[in-house]
Structures are given as structure tokens and as C-alpha cells.
Amino acid sequence: MSTKEQQEILVNKMVQWQKLETAAVTQTANIMGKAEHPLIRLVAEIIQRDSQMHFRVQQAIIDSLTTSVHVPVEQLAEIWDTIEEHIKIEKRTVEMAQASLKALEGSHSVIAQYLLRYLLADEEKHDKLLADLELIKKKMYP
């Protein structure tokens, strides 16, 4: 299979996936409209916002396959110090989430633990996104 064919398949999959994300946004709005408990509403809102972001990321994937995407090395170099500062912040937020979870070990604070595990996973995701951005930077601009 050629690269062009592979890219066409991926673009089609991204478009199908975007339809699912749109359905997820609608469904979470339905959940929020019906749910009275703030935790259930919060979880639905988190998922809704993630689905909206997933849609945007999928569009960026489509764009990267159908148009020329170029990150100017000068721009990346200009802001890299700021990105490195943010990497430090993300590492501290991961540490804070871990310490907060540890503080609740053995407690019956199930909701707090549930939400802290979510926050930890999200902060770890941010840390990985930035670490992977550095890998991209090194591969694009050795």
C-alpha cells in the first residue's frame, strides 16, 4: 500500500472519529442536563471538553496529512525557554498530585481520590506532551 493510500485511510478514519466525538459532546450535554449531582455533571463536562479537544487534534492530524505543515525553527527556538519553564511546572503538578493522593492513602475519601487520580493522569499527559514536543523538535531540527 502506498503512502498516499495510507494517508487517505487515516484521513477517513479521523473524519469518522470526529463524528463520534461530536456525538460524545451531544451525549455529555444530555447527561449534564439530566444530572443533578455536581460530581456527575463535572465528569460529563470533563469528557465533553476532552471530546472537543480530540476533535481539534483529529483535524490537526487531517491537516498534517493533506497540507504542508511547517514549524519554523526560529519560532520554536524563540519560545523554547518558555516551554522548558512550563515543563518544570508540569513536573511539579505531577508531584503535587502524587503527594495529595499519598496523603489520602487509607482514608475513605473516595471522591477526592477519584478526582485526584484524574488530575494526576491529566498532569502526566501534559508532561508527556511536552516531552514528546522536545523529541519532535530534535527530529525536525537536529
Side-chain angles (χ1 to χ4, degrees):
M1 182 179 311
S2 72
T3 300
K4 183 173 175 60
E5 289 170 325
Q6 288 176 320
Q7 289 174 338
E8 287 173 1
I9 289 170
L10 185 54
V11 166
N12 288 333
K13 292 208 176 297
M14 290 299 104
V15 170
Q16 291 170 14
W17 194 351
Q18 284 181 315
K19 291 175 184 174
L20 291 172
E21 295 296 356
T22 300
V25 168
T26 302
Q27 188 62 31
T28 51
N30 291 338
I31 293 168
M32 287 186 285
K34 293 178 181 179
E36 293 181 22
H37 194 279
L39 178 64
I40 295 169
R41 290 179 59 80
L42 176 64
V43 169
E45 185 178 352
I46 290 167
I47 293 168
Q48 185 179 67
R49 288 185 181 177
D50 282 354
S51 291
Q52 291 166 335
M53 184 54 65
H54 295 168
F55 187 99
R56 290 181 59 200
V57 170
Q58 291 151 357
Q59 188 60 51
I61 293 168
I62 291 168
D63 294 346
S64 77
L65 295 170
T66 59
T67 62
S68 177
V69 176
H70 174 72
V71 179
V73 67
E74 303 82 23
Q75 183 178 11
L76 197 54
E78 286 174 15
I79 65 168
W80 196 254
D81 288 345
T82 307
I83 292 171
E84 285 180 333
E85 286 301 313
H86 194 81
I87 289 170
K88 291 175 188 174
I89 291 169
E90 291 298 340
K91 289 190 182 312
R92 290 197 313 257
T93 62
V94 168
E95 292 167 2
M96 184 63 67
Q98 290 170 333
S100 297
L101 269 172
K102 187 168 178 70
L104 288 178
E105 280 180 3
S107 76
H108 297 290
S109 303
V110 178
I111 292 173
Q113 290 173 345
Y114 170 74
L115 292 171
L116 282 168
R117 282 192 298 273
Y118 157 73
L119 288 173
L120 175 59
D122 219 39
E123 296 300 349
E124 288 172 335
K125 176 183 72 177
H126 298 166
D127 187 48
K128 181 162 177 31
L129 276 169
L130 291 168
D132 288 352
L133 183 60
E134 186 169 17
L135 290 174
I136 290 170
K137 176 186 150 215
K138 287 179 181 177
K139 287 182 181 177
M140 287 176 72
Y141 313 109

